[in-house]
Amino acid sequence: MQNRITYLRGVFRSWVNARNRKRLHNTSFSLICSNCTGCILLHELGLKYNSPFVNLWMKPKDFIKCVANLKEYMAADLKFIDEPGIDYPIGLLKDIKIYFQHYSSDAEALNKWNERKKRINYKNLFIMMTDRDGCTLEDIVAFNKLPYSNKIIFTHIQYPEIHSAFYIKGFETQNSVGMCFDFINTFSSKKYYDQFDYIAWFNKPCQDTALQ
């Protein structure tokens, strides 16, 4: 029974993805995301990773600092450090840490990082973050002030006064949103991030002329 449910959900999800791909007109954008949410979105849309922010995560303050000075940080050399209790690569980009959780070695992480950062389209940037990993209200406010027209932060509660915050229902009793790319329930083909119309968002023109 469980295998049949999983199979059917996969079939229905493939229909969702096909419909989204048909709606998507802007396919050359670069998605800068603080964790794997962006990577999975791009995978479902069948898009190339035009960004090195794939299969990794960053602490909120480091991510915001990096995005605020994106070209400066992308020009810096990535080094690697050790941290007690973590057995996957940790990159040090100047003064910020990048946790390459889904890479098997420093060499693999470095190769993919350098390969993908060359693809960044600074004329077509989208910034995405979630209120995970110790994110505070101060961080959310700082993210909201970033000089990008297309930015979104998924939050577990509502912040009507913060225009870049999007409330994801289902995590109100937790300290943050969970895995936004998880299915809402066993029988649903919808994922938590489907509450946000990311296709309409990606189809918006980038107006960040000062950053191009």
Side-chain angles (χ1 to χ4, degrees), residues 62-138:
D62 278 357
F63 180 72
I64 292 167
K65 188 173 185 179
C66 178
V67 173
N69 304 278
L70 188 59
K71 286 190 174 181
E72 177 185 336
Y73 278 99
M74 292 303 98
D77 292 330
L78 182 66
K79 301 177 181 179
F80 290 88
I81 59 174
D82 294 322
E83 189 170 302
I86 294 182
D87 60 0
Y88 50 80
I90 302 173
L92 185 66
L93 198 62
K94 298 184 69 175
D95 56 346
I96 63 173
K97 292 180 182 179
I98 304 174
Y99 294 85
F100 292 92
Q101 187 167 359
H102 300 289
Y103 293 89
S104 60
S105 67
D106 294 357
E108 181 191 17
L110 179 62
N111 179 59
K112 290 299 182 182
W113 176 266
N114 286 335
E115 174 188 329
R116 290 167 177 159
K117 77 175 184 179
K118 295 175 184 176
R119 302 177 190 160
I120 296 178
N121 185 352
Y122 289 99
K123 295 182 179 180
N124 200 354
L125 286 175
F126 289 77
I127 315 299
M128 180 179 287
M129 183 175 159
T130 64
D131 67 350
R132 294 175 58 84
D133 304 309
C135 184
T136 65
L137 177 57
E138 179 184 52

Side-chain angles (χ1 to χ4, degrees), residues 23-36:
R23 285 181 60 208
L24 184 65
H25 306 301
N26 177 20
T27 59
S28 63
F29 64 87
S30 288
L31 179 59
I32 310 299
C33 187
S34 62
N35 54 38
C36 293

